[in-house]
Amino acid sequence: GGIITQTPKFLIGQEGQKLTLKCQQNFNHDTMYWYRQDSGKGLRLIYYSITENDLQKGDLSEGYDASREKKSSFSLTVTSAQKNEMAVFLCASSRAGQDTQYFGPGTRLLVL
Amino acid sequence: QQKVQQSPESLSVPEGGMASLNCTSSDRNFQYFWWYRQHSGEGPKALMSIFSDGDKKEGRFTAHLNKASLHVSLHIRDSQPSDSALYFCAARKATNSAGNKLTFGIGTRVLVRP
């Protein structure tokens, strides 16, 4: 078994601020993902990474940057937080060629 | 248009009853389907996958796939209060050259009444 850790658990930011979310996994999975969850909109893919130093844009990449520093970690940056924004950011991982994705508990973002 | 559509939006069932959830894809390239469950305050967790036509049973959960109509369903038998959660249908295309990109529906919220 393994675990995905996301930090911080809660993030409160100011409009225009640059915010960074971090994700660590000890599954030794090759592929990692960042999703955004909004009420009534399901999960939308922001970025994913097939291997260390690889980055692929998802459907919602505008306004975000990502970095795969090493196999076990994947960071997401909100480049300019939008006022009244509220969402949950979920990190996930999977083995190369294996489809089941394992999710972390999420980071809850609120922008004042 | 949402490429993976789920119905109903919410569902209330009595404890011990049967819950039935539906999912339809509008993209014929989606051939592989998953059901994920998310309890409040947690990340989603994979319940089961289904890739072939017909039924797949795992304990109290049965998934059914009809590839011709791109319809997949999930039935929860003998529903328990712990089954109260948000259920997502997710789909992947048959050819996926990079990563394992899944497309998620917006979810069905299930409430099991004691």
Side-chain angles (χ1 to χ4, degrees), chain A residues 2-23:
Chain A
I3 193 167
I4 294 183
T5 305
Q6 291 188 239
T7 55
K9 193 170 181 178
F10 298 97
L11 184 55
I12 298 176
Q14 301 292 325
E15 185 182 13
Q17 193 176 1
K18 188 175 180 180
L19 302 167
T20 298
L21 292 68
K22 294 188 180 294
C23 176

Side-chain angles (χ1 to χ4, degrees), chain B residues 20-90:
Chain B
S20 295
L21 292 69
N22 296 294
C23 174
T24 303
S25 170
S26 60
D27 188 336
R28 192 152 289 280
N29 292 312
F30 287 138
Q31 290 286 302
Y32 305 128
F33 296 87
W34 283 259
W35 285 100
Y36 280 79
R37 179 166 78 177
Q38 183 181 31
H39 286 110
S40 182
E42 299 179 5
K45 184 176 179 180
L47 269 178
M48 60 195 301
S49 60
I50 184 163
F51 302 157
S52 303
D53 278 327
D55 291 336
K56 182 177 181 181
K57 185 178 178 182
E58 292 187 4
R60 296 184 293 108
F61 300 88
T62 300
H64 176 82
L65 174 61
N66 181 328
K67 282 195 174 184
S69 62
L70 293 177
H71 179 261
V72 60
S73 59
L74 179 70
H75 304 279
I76 308 172
R77 175 179 57 82
D78 187 23
S79 295
Q80 301 298 307
S82 59
D83 294 327
S84 295
L86 185 58
Y87 289 76
F88 290 106
C89 174

Side-chain angles (χ1 to χ4, degrees), chain A residues 31 33 35 37 40-43 45 48 50 56-59 90 94-106 108, chain B residues 2 32 34 36 38-46 49 51 86 88 92 96-107:
Chain A
T31 309
Y33 312 81
Y35 290 91
Q37 182 176 17
K41 292 186 180 176
L43 276 65
L45 183 64
Y48 66 104
I50 297 169
Q56 307 281 340
K57 290 185 177 181
D59 300 321
L90 293 162
S94 69
R95 278 186 292 176
Q98 170 70 288
D99 299 299
T100 297
Q101 294 184 16
Y102 296 84
F103 284 82
R108 283 144 185 83
Chain B
Q2 194 81 17
Y32 305 128
W34 283 259
Y36 280 79
Q38 183 181 31
H39 286 110
S40 182
E42 299 179 5
K45 184 176 179 180
S49 60
F51 302 157
L86 185 58
F88 290 106
R92 181 171 78 78
N96 196 26
S97 58
N100 298 315
K101 287 179 65 177
L102 294 179
T103 299
F104 285 79
I106 64 170

Side-chain angles (χ1 to χ4, degrees), chain A residues 76-112:
Chain A
L76 180 73
T77 298
V78 180
T79 56
S80 179
Q82 300 298 304
K83 189 175 175 63
N84 298 322
E85 185 174 3
M86 187 167 67
V88 177
F89 290 86
L90 293 162
C91 176
S93 70
S94 69
R95 278 186 292 176
Q98 170 70 288
D99 299 299
T100 297
Q101 294 184 16
Y102 296 84
F103 284 82
T107 291
R108 283 144 185 83
L109 172 68
L110 176 62
V111 180
L112 302 175

